[in-house]
Amino acid sequence: MRIGHGPPSQRQDLFGGHGEVLVWDLLAGQSAPPFTSVLSCVLAAGGHVGRHVQQRDSEIVIGLTGCGEAIVDGRVLPFGPGSVVFLPFRSSLELRNERTDAPLRYLIVKATPAGESSASG
């Protein structure tokens, strides 16, 4: 399946988790304020993205395929197709792919937190 523009960035054991995450930058460096990035991601079967804090942006994470869970500020939420998780600036996220036979696919949309001006603006 072709996703994004060109080959993905391959990341291993992201934020202290385990497994490979493929990441495509869908904006490909284009400016789109207040959005700072749009990423298409594929977490390997049985993979885990470790707990990390949103250091610069607010974001939403949208489930596309697969079955897993999102842990937001310690709260466990089911995560799969049609799931939308909102992460305010400074909140924490962890993602787990519960399937050992299929990847978890999702989109991440990051934006400048409300009330802050963008660098280009």
Side-chain angles (χ1 to χ4, degrees):
M1 170 191 301
R2 179 169 154 67
I3 300 174
H5 308 281
S9 168
Q10 297 177 323
R11 302 180 187 175
Q12 193 69 35
D13 304 332
L14 198 55
F15 301 109
H18 65 271
E20 182 178 66
V21 182
L22 302 177
V23 180
W24 287 264
D25 177 0
L26 299 183
L27 289 180
Q30 298 175 28
S31 178
F35 303 103
T36 58
S37 61
V38 178
L39 307 172
S40 178
C41 304
V42 177
L43 176 58
H48 169 222
V49 174
R51 182 183 179 278
H52 58 286
V53 175
Q54 308 312 307
Q55 297 290 328
R56 191 183 76 191
D57 301 314
S58 296
E59 67 182 53
I60 58 170
V61 184
I62 304 161
L64 299 176
T65 66
C67 179
E69 61 184 22
I71 300 136
V72 179
D73 294 329
R75 183 172 166 226
V76 179
L77 306 167
F79 187 74
S83 296
V84 177
V85 176
F86 172 61
L87 297 154
F89 175 57
R90 296 193 176 123
S91 63
S92 69
L93 173 67
E94 202 173 332
L95 285 175
R96 293 184 185 275
N97 184 352
E98 294 176 343
R99 300 275 309 262
T100 58
D101 62 342
L104 181 65
R105 298 176 191 274
Y106 54 96
L107 294 174
I108 296 175
V109 181
K110 297 184 179 201
T112 304
E116 293 189 23
S117 61
S118 66
S120 63

